[in-house]
Amino acid sequence: MRPTIGVLALQGDVREHFHALSACDAEPVSVRRAAELDSVDGLVLPGGESTAISKLLEIFELLEPLRARLRAGMPAFGSCAGMILLASEVLDTRPDAQSLSGIDMTVRRNAFGRQVHSFETDLDFAGLDDPLRAVFIRAPWVERVGPDVEVLARVPHTPRPGTVVDADPSAGDPQEAAGRVVAVRQGRVIATSFHPEVTGDLRVHRMFVDSVRESVAAGA
């Protein structure tokens, strides 16, 4: 079964998620309107600028319909900015920014620092046999999870071989974030601080697509 999965196409790295979903035998479609949201089996919220996407959700009258679909059990996957949008509480953001409360968690926006603080490392990820390469770009991290939230990955305490930190001399040390939660799941909603759509490793997307298929089969 080839599920129809929307990609919120208001801002951010939409194309990369389209490619990953297609490679996982899903049918990706753009979502910019409530009618388009109504037609999908699940939704990806891409990386980008979370406050801009939040404002655009209001402008395009998608905020409340999306909250309603999440409350009704629609599977969703958010990467980076998408994680911020799915949180129930966001720290270090604008007071007028909106969130979707798709996962019971507190997220700190831009927790790893500015663009020059971007880095790559390998993560142990629950449900995957081998480590996952993770790319962090102005990424958030999770400071609190609710009792029904499963932690899928944390920043390693010891740098993995091949960890790459931006060469800018002002770049931060990823070890300052050692142990921080960077991937979570609650029900059929998954969120990652990092960008699995840019590495060519499809395992997180496959996990999400499988969850969407299960939801469709269950009639959710």
Side-chain angles (χ1 to χ4, degrees):
M1 189 268 289
R2 187 175 173 88
T4 300
I5 298 181
V7 180
L8 187 65
L10 302 179
Q11 193 261 352
D13 53 348
V14 173
R15 181 177 60 183
E16 293 84 352
H17 281 290
F18 257 71
H19 291 164
L21 291 169
S22 294
C24 294
D25 200 28
E27 184 66 39
V29 297
S30 297
V31 170
R32 297 185 183 91
R33 301 290 183 184
E36 295 166 340
L37 177 65
D38 289 342
S39 70
V40 302
D41 302 313
L43 183 71
V44 171
L45 293 87
E49 212 296 311
S50 61
T51 55
I53 298 173
S54 166
K55 186 65 176 176
L56 289 167
L57 283 171
E58 294 184 271
I59 292 171
F60 282 81
E61 299 181 341
L62 266 173
L63 185 64
E64 291 306 325
L66 182 46
R67 284 173 171 163
R69 285 294 311 269
L70 289 169
R71 286 195 298 268
M74 178 185 68
F77 166 46
S79 63
C80 198
M83 168 183 267
I84 296 168
L85 290 164
L86 285 169
S88 54
E89 181 183 17
V90 181
L91 306 177
D92 293 341
T93 192
R94 289 173 39 158
D96 61 342
Q98 301 282 350
S99 61
L100 298 167
S101 297
I103 297 178
D104 180 12
M105 63 179 174
T106 300
V107 168
R108 186 172 297 278
R109 182 174 172 267
N110 291 346
F112 288 95
R114 299 180 295 119
Q115 191 84 11
V116 296
H117 302 147
S118 301
F119 71 99
E120 301 178 24
T121 191
D122 290 334
L123 303 176
D124 292 324
F125 196 101
L128 303 182
D129 292 335
D130 299 312
L132 179 77
R133 191 66 170 178
V135 177
F136 294 84
I137 305 170
R138 293 180 61 200
W141 66 44
V142 179
E143 298 211 343
R144 178 199 64 84
V145 296
D148 297 324
V149 177
E150 178 187 4
V151 173
L152 299 176
R154 297 176 181 268
V155 176
H157 286 277
T158 303
R160 295 288 181 84
T163 295
V164 178
V165 180
D166 192 290
D168 188 290
S170 67
D173 180 356
Q175 286 309 294
E176 294 177 5
R180 291 290 187 176
V181 174
V182 291
V184 295
R185 174 170 53 199
Q186 183 172 2
R188 291 193 171 99
V189 182
I190 300 171
T192 63
S193 299
F194 51 91
H195 292 266
E197 71 276 10
V198 304
T199 64
D201 188 329
L202 298 173
R203 288 179 291 169
V204 175
H205 284 83
R206 287 196 186 104
M207 180 183 292
F208 175 60
V209 171
D210 287 345
S211 178
V212 176
R213 289 194 181 102
E214 291 169 2
S215 175
V216 173

PDB file of all heavy atoms in Angstrom, residues 13-31:
ATOM      1  N   ASP A  13      12.849  22.874   3.813  1.00  0.00           N
ATOM      2  CA  ASP A  13      13.429  21.894   2.887  1.00  0.00           C
ATOM      3  C   ASP A  13      12.395  20.852   2.456  1.00  0.00           C
ATOM      4  O   ASP A  13      12.487  19.673   2.773  1.00  0.00           O
ATOM      5  CB  ASP A  13      14.689  21.259   3.478  1.00  0.00           C
ATOM      6  CG  ASP A  13      14.479  20.686   4.862  1.00  0.00           C
ATOM      7  OD1 ASP A  13      13.435  20.969   5.477  1.00  0.00           O
ATOM      8  OD2 ASP A  13      15.367  19.959   5.339  1.00  0.00           O
ATOM      9  N   VAL A  14      11.419  21.319   1.697  1.00  0.00           N
ATOM     10  CA  VAL A  14      10.308  20.484   1.245  1.00  0.00           C
ATOM     11  C   VAL A  14      10.787  19.434   0.246  1.00  0.00           C
ATOM     12  O   VAL A  14      10.418  18.254   0.329  1.00  0.00           O
ATOM     13  CB  VAL A  14       9.209  21.372   0.623  1.00  0.00           C
ATOM     14  CG1 VAL A  14       8.110  20.516  -0.004  1.00  0.00           C
ATOM     15  CG2 VAL A  14       8.630  22.314   1.668  1.00  0.00           C
ATOM     16  N   ARG A  15      11.595  19.846  -0.724  1.00  0.00           N
ATOM     17  CA  ARG A  15      12.002  18.954  -1.810  1.00  0.00           C
ATOM     18  C   ARG A  15      12.724  17.714  -1.286  1.00  0.00           C
ATOM     19  O   ARG A  15      12.488  16.595  -1.772  1.00  0.00           O
ATOM     20  CB  ARG A  15      12.908  19.711  -2.782  1.00  0.00           C
ATOM     21  CG  ARG A  15      13.384  18.888  -3.965  1.00  0.00           C
ATOM     22  CD  ARG A  15      14.216  19.728  -4.915  1.00  0.00           C
ATOM     23  NE  ARG A  15      15.401  20.269  -4.232  1.00  0.00           N
ATOM     24  CZ  ARG A  15      16.267  21.079  -4.824  1.00  0.00           C
ATOM     25  NH1 ARG A  15      16.071  21.476  -6.067  1.00  0.00           N
ATOM     26  NH2 ARG A  15      17.333  21.501  -4.155  1.00  0.00           N
ATOM     27  N   GLU A  16      13.596  17.895  -0.291  1.00  0.00           N
ATOM     28  CA  GLU A  16      14.362  16.768   0.242  1.00  0.00           C
ATOM     29  C   GLU A  16      13.439  15.713   0.854  1.00  0.00           C
ATOM     30  O   GLU A  16      13.663  14.510   0.703  1.00  0.00           O
ATOM     31  CB  GLU A  16      15.377  17.259   1.267  1.00  0.00           C
ATOM     32  CG  GLU A  16      16.496  18.109   0.690  1.00  0.00           C
ATOM     33  CD  GLU A  16      16.150  19.576   0.532  1.00  0.00           C
ATOM     34  OE1 GLU A  16      14.968  19.946   0.728  1.00  0.00           O
ATOM     35  OE2 GLU A  16      17.060  20.365   0.210  1.00  0.00           O
ATOM     36  N   HIS A  17      12.392  16.155   1.548  1.00  0.00           N
ATOM     37  CA  HIS A  17      11.441  15.203   2.122  1.00  0.00           C
ATOM     38  C   HIS A  17      10.634  14.513   1.023  1.00  0.00           C
ATOM     39  O   HIS A  17      10.317  13.321   1.146  1.00  0.00           O
ATOM     40  CB  HIS A  17      10.512  15.907   3.110  1.00  0.00           C
ATOM     41  CG  HIS A  17      11.124  16.148   4.451  1.00  0.00           C
ATOM     42  ND1 HIS A  17      11.400  15.118   5.334  1.00  0.00           N
ATOM     43  CD2 HIS A  17      11.522  17.285   5.065  1.00  0.00           C
ATOM     44  CE1 HIS A  17      11.932  15.620   6.441  1.00  0.00           C
ATOM     45  NE2 HIS A  17      12.013  16.926   6.296  1.00  0.00           N
ATOM     46  N   PHE A  18      10.295  15.235  -0.036  1.00  0.00           N
ATOM     47  CA  PHE A  18       9.601  14.608  -1.166  1.00  0.00           C
ATOM     48  C   PHE A  18      10.419  13.441  -1.704  1.00  0.00           C
ATOM     49  O   PHE A  18       9.892  12.336  -1.927  1.00  0.00           O
ATOM     50  CB  PHE A  18       9.378  15.646  -2.276  1.00  0.00           C
ATOM     51  CG  PHE A  18       7.977  16.182  -2.350  1.00  0.00           C
ATOM     52  CD1 PHE A  18       7.500  17.033  -1.376  1.00  0.00           C
ATOM     53  CD2 PHE A  18       7.143  15.839  -3.397  1.00  0.00           C
ATOM     54  CE1 PHE A  18       6.221  17.545  -1.438  1.00  0.00           C
ATOM     55  CE2 PHE A  18       5.855  16.338  -3.476  1.00  0.00           C
ATOM     56  CZ  PHE A  18       5.382  17.197  -2.489  1.00  0.00           C
ATOM     57  N   HIS A  19      11.705  13.676  -1.926  1.00  0.00           N
ATOM     58  CA  HIS A  19      12.561  12.626  -2.471  1.00  0.00           C
ATOM     59  C   HIS A  19      12.631  11.422  -1.534  1.00  0.00           C
ATOM     60  O   HIS A  19      12.561  10.267  -1.977  1.00  0.00           O
ATOM     61  CB  HIS A  19      13.961  13.177  -2.717  1.00  0.00           C
ATOM     62  CG  HIS A  19      14.026  14.169  -3.838  1.00  0.00           C
ATOM     63  ND1 HIS A  19      15.085  15.020  -4.025  1.00  0.00           N
ATOM     64  CD2 HIS A  19      13.155  14.442  -4.842  1.00  0.00           C
ATOM     65  CE1 HIS A  19      14.869  15.779  -5.080  1.00  0.00           C
ATOM     66  NE2 HIS A  19      13.702  15.452  -5.597  1.00  0.00           N
ATOM     67  N   ALA A  20      12.795  11.680  -0.225  1.00  0.00           N
ATOM     68  CA  ALA A  20      12.906  10.588   0.737  1.00  0.00           C
ATOM     69  C   ALA A  20      11.611   9.782   0.813  1.00  0.00           C
ATOM     70  O   ALA A  20      11.639   8.545   0.851  1.00  0.00           O
ATOM     71  CB  ALA A  20      13.277  11.133   2.114  1.00  0.00           C
ATOM     72  N   LEU A  21      10.474  10.452   0.829  1.00  0.00           N
ATOM     73  CA  LEU A  21       9.192   9.742   0.900  1.00  0.00           C
ATOM     74  C   LEU A  21       8.951   8.914  -0.350  1.00  0.00           C
ATOM     75  O   LEU A  21       8.480   7.775  -0.274  1.00  0.00           O
ATOM     76  CB  LEU A  21       8.060  10.746   1.103  1.00  0.00           C
ATOM     77  CG  LEU A  21       8.018  11.443   2.462  1.00  0.00           C
ATOM     78  CD1 LEU A  21       7.024  12.603   2.434  1.00  0.00           C
ATOM     79  CD2 LEU A  21       7.658  10.465   3.574  1.00  0.00           C
ATOM     80  N   SER A  22       9.269   9.465  -1.504  1.00  0.00           N
ATOM     81  CA  SER A  22       9.112   8.707  -2.750  1.00  0.00           C
ATOM     82  C   SER A  22       9.974   7.453  -2.735  1.00  0.00           C
ATOM     83  O   SER A  22       9.539   6.377  -3.169  1.00  0.00           O
ATOM     84  CB  SER A  22       9.489   9.582  -3.951  1.00  0.00           C
ATOM     85  OG  SER A  22       8.585  10.655  -4.105  1.00  0.00           O
ATOM     86  N   ALA A  23      11.206   7.572  -2.214  1.00  0.00           N
ATOM     87  CA  ALA A  23      12.106   6.425  -2.141  1.00  0.00           C
ATOM     88  C   ALA A  23      11.608   5.367  -1.167  1.00  0.00           C
ATOM     89  O   ALA A  23      12.019   4.210  -1.242  1.00  0.00           O
ATOM     90  CB  ALA A  23      13.506   6.880  -1.746  1.00  0.00           C
ATOM     91  N   CYS A  24      10.728   5.759  -0.249  1.00  0.00           N
ATOM     92  CA  CYS A  24      10.151   4.818   0.724  1.00  0.00           C
ATOM     93  C   CYS A  24       8.779   4.308   0.276  1.00  0.00           C
ATOM     94  O   CYS A  24       8.014   3.774   1.090  1.00  0.00           O
ATOM     95  CB  CYS A  24      10.033   5.488   2.089  1.00  0.00           C
ATOM     96  SG  CYS A  24      11.611   5.894   2.845  1.00  0.00           S
ATOM     97  N   ASP A  25       8.459   4.483  -1.000  1.00  0.00           N
ATOM     98  CA  ASP A  25       7.226   3.971  -1.598  1.00  0.00           C
ATOM     99  C   ASP A  25       5.981   4.618  -0.996  1.00  0.00           C
ATOM    100  O   ASP A  25       4.953   3.969  -0.786  1.00  0.00           O
ATOM    101  CB  ASP A  25       7.146   2.448  -1.478  1.00  0.00           C
ATOM    102  CG  ASP A  25       6.172   1.852  -2.491  1.00  0.00           C
ATOM    103  OD1 ASP A  25       5.986   2.455  -3.561  1.00  0.00           O
ATOM    104  OD2 ASP A  25       5.585   0.790  -2.191  1.00  0.00           O
ATOM    105  N   ALA A  26       6.093   5.914  -0.723  1.00  0.00           N
ATOM    106  CA  ALA A  26       4.924   6.713  -0.359  1.00  0.00           C
ATOM    107  C   ALA A  26       4.636   7.695  -1.485  1.00  0.00           C
ATOM    108  O   ALA A  26       5.473   7.922  -2.362  1.00  0.00           O
ATOM    109  CB  ALA A  26       5.170   7.464   0.949  1.00  0.00           C
ATOM    110  N   GLU A  27       3.459   8.275  -1.470  1.00  0.00           N
ATOM    111  CA  GLU A  27       3.050   9.270  -2.465  1.00  0.00           C
ATOM    112  C   GLU A  27       3.069  10.649  -1.794  1.00  0.00           C
ATOM    113  O   GLU A  27       2.129  11.005  -1.080  1.00  0.00           O
ATOM    114  CB  GLU A  27       1.644   8.970  -2.989  1.00  0.00           C
ATOM    115  CG  GLU A  27       1.170   9.897  -4.085  1.00  0.00           C
ATOM    116  CD  GLU A  27       1.974   9.746  -5.364  1.00  0.00           C
ATOM    117  OE1 GLU A  27       2.327   8.603  -5.707  1.00  0.00           O
ATOM    118  OE2 GLU A  27       2.240  10.777  -6.009  1.00  0.00           O
ATOM    119  N   PRO A  28       4.130  11.438  -1.992  1.00  0.00           N
ATOM    120  CA  PRO A  28       4.186  12.744  -1.330  1.00  0.00           C
ATOM    121  C   PRO A  28       3.375  13.790  -2.088  1.00  0.00           C
ATOM    122  O   PRO A  28       3.355  13.810  -3.325  1.00  0.00           O
ATOM    123  CB  PRO A  28       5.679  13.080  -1.365  1.00  0.00           C
ATOM    124  CG  PRO A  28       6.208  12.369  -2.561  1.00  0.00           C
ATOM    125  CD  PRO A  28       5.365  11.137  -2.735  1.00  0.00           C
ATOM    126  N   VAL A  29       2.700  14.658  -1.333  1.00  0.00           N
ATOM    127  CA  VAL A  29       1.943  15.769  -1.920  1.00  0.00           C
ATOM    128  C   VAL A  29       2.205  17.017  -1.090  1.00  0.00           C
ATOM    129  O   VAL A  29       2.469  16.943   0.110  1.00  0.00           O
ATOM    130  CB  VAL A  29       0.424  15.475  -1.970  1.00  0.00           C
ATOM    131  CG1 VAL A  29       0.124  14.279  -2.854  1.00  0.00           C
ATOM    132  CG2 VAL A  29      -0.133  15.257  -0.569  1.00  0.00           C
ATOM    133  N   SER A  30       2.128  18.164  -1.732  1.00  0.00           N
ATOM    134  CA  SER A  30       2.296  19.432  -1.025  1.00  0.00           C
ATOM    135  C   SER A  30       1.033  19.775  -0.256  1.00  0.00           C
ATOM    136  O   SER A  30      -0.083  19.557  -0.741  1.00  0.00           O
ATOM    137  CB  SER A  30       2.606  20.558  -2.016  1.00  0.00           C
ATOM    138  OG  SER A  30       3.823  20.335  -2.687  1.00  0.00           O
ATOM    139  N   VAL A  31       1.209  20.325   0.940  1.00  0.00           N
ATOM    140  CA  VAL A  31       0.075  20.780   1.744  1.00  0.00           C
ATOM    141  C   VAL A  31       0.261  22.260   2.062  1.00  0.00           C
ATOM    142  O   VAL A  31       1.221  22.647   2.727  1.00  0.00           O
ATOM    143  CB  VAL A  31      -0.057  19.960   3.038  1.00  0.00           C
ATOM    144  CG1 VAL A  31      -1.084  20.594   3.982  1.00  0.00           C
ATOM    145  CG2 VAL A  31      -0.442  18.526   2.738  1.00  0.00           C
TER     146      VAL A  31
END
